[in-house]
Amino acid sequence: QLQERLTAQISDSLTSILQTEDVAVVLKATHFCVLAKGLEDLPTEMETHVLKGRFKDDPSIKSDFFSRL
């Protein structure tokens, strides 16, 4: 839940600083706790995203954004 919360906080900060609702944030992180436990079969990379404004509401903008990642 920490990664999800961080992603949301970044999007909220960008919305405030840039003064726009059109914000998209993608956060990809490696979870070393999984590696430390020796669970190599489990995925260690997790991707979270928050979409706001046109990134959320306009399917073509959303699709274009994700195709560039």
Side-chain angles (χ1 to χ4, degrees), residues 39-50:
L39 304 173
E40 289 89 12
D41 334 359
L42 297 177
T44 59
E45 243 182 34
M46 179 74 130
E47 185 175 291
T48 55
H49 64 270
V50 172

Side-chain angles (χ1 to χ4, degrees), residues 1-11 25 27:
Q1 288 184 353
L2 178 65
Q3 184 174 337
E4 291 87 351
R5 197 167 45 246
L6 180 59
T7 308
Q9 289 171 345
I10 292 169
S11 73
V25 175
L27 187 65

Side-chain angles (χ1 to χ4, degrees), residues 20-64:
T20 182
E21 286 296 317
D22 302 324
V23 171
V25 175
V26 175
L27 187 65
K28 186 184 277 190
T30 300
H31 290 252
F32 290 102
C33 59
V34 175
L35 291 174
K37 292 177 183 175
L39 304 173
E40 289 89 12
D41 334 359
L42 297 177
T44 59
E45 243 182 34
M46 179 74 130
E47 185 175 291
T48 55
H49 64 270
V50 172
L51 305 175
K52 295 181 175 184
R54 291 187 290 171
F55 288 100
K56 180 180 177 184
D57 300 331
D58 187 325
S60 66
I61 292 174
K62 182 178 184 177
S63 175
D64 185 51

